[in-house]
Amino acid sequence: MKISCVCGAIIVDQTDYLANKGHIVADEDWEDFAESIRSRGEIDQSFVRHCYQCTSCGRLYVDDHDRRLLTFLPETTVPQPALRSIKGALWKAPLIGRWTPAPLAGESKGSLYCKGGDGVVEQYDTWEALEQAYFALFFRLKGLGLLRSALLHNGGKQVHVWADTDH
Ligand SMILES: [Zn+2]
């Protein structure tokens, strides 16, 4: 989904682990929500609403109880991230490397993506360069304890898969 912010920016919700998205449960629902997890062993999404922050102007967009999007304007002119992980800079990120033999027009065959550490979004023209950059980043971020998972794809084939066991 996409939200067109009042400031002109677009808030996009098409991937997991967004740094500007949150999940809200009303305090009036909290006990029922917690009980649903205890008894069913899973999250009852009917209690969960979403909120988003525009990274450009800092506005907050919050689903109300009818799932209508309400808008809140911050008091500060410099956007302050309101919805980042409680772990802050120590948040463990997924690392994804993907080699696409026939990419869409304008896109590179190789892409490397990770939000951990300083964040990486890179394009590669050869498989060798992508593979080398992937493993260099994998071992660096894993050593720093900043990875939750890693996945390297070549075409439809998984070349490397790793998952942290204690996050
Ligand atoms: Zn905005």
Side-chain angles (χ1 to χ4, degrees):
M1 76 170 264
K2 289 181 183 174
I3 298 168
S4 297
C5 184
V6 177
C7 77
I10 305 284
I11 302 169
V12 181
D13 181 6
Q14 286 173 339
T15 60
D16 293 334
Y17 303 117
L18 293 174
N20 63 332
K21 177 183 178 182
H23 304 254
I24 296 177
V25 177
D27 198 47
E28 289 179 331
D29 295 329
W30 186 256
E31 292 302 324
D32 297 335
F33 175 67
E35 179 54 33
S36 78
I37 296 173
R38 276 192 295 268
S39 61
R40 295 161 44 163
E42 63 181 53
I43 287 174
D44 184 345
Q45 292 288 349
S46 70
F47 290 115
V48 180
R49 294 176 282 142
H50 297 134
C51 64
Y52 300 89
Q53 185 175 32
C54 176
T55 53
S56 189
C57 71
R59 274 185 180 82
L60 273 183
Y61 290 84
V62 180
D63 271 341
D64 73 2
H65 63 282
D66 282 330
R67 301 193 183 276
R68 286 177 306 208
L69 217 47
L70 307 179
T71 311
F72 298 86
L73 186 63
E75 300 236 351
T76 56
T77 51
V78 178
Q80 296 171 310
L83 302 173
R84 289 205 63 194
S85 165
I86 198 91
K87 305 270 175 68
L90 296 177
W91 179 71
K92 295 183 177 192
L95 165 66
I96 298 169
R98 186 171 286 126
W99 180 257
T100 310
L104 297 173
E107 292 185 10
S108 300
K109 291 183 176 178
S111 67
L112 189 62
Y113 177 78
C114 186
K115 292 202 295 187
D118 301 324
V120 169
V121 179
E122 290 171 353
Q123 308 294 321
Y124 293 90
D125 294 325
T126 68
W127 163 253
E128 289 72 23
L130 170 64
E131 188 179 31
Q132 190 176 16
Y134 170 90
F135 281 107
L137 190 58
F138 171 74
F139 286 114
R140 186 169 70 82
L141 293 179
K142 184 166 172 274
L144 292 169
L146 295 176
L147 274 192
R148 74 175 50 229
S149 63
L151 180 61
L152 179 60
H153 267 286
N154 185 338
K157 202 170 113 238
Q158 290 185 357
V159 177
H160 178 248
V161 182
W162 177 84
D164 188 26
T165 49
D166 56 18
H167 66 262

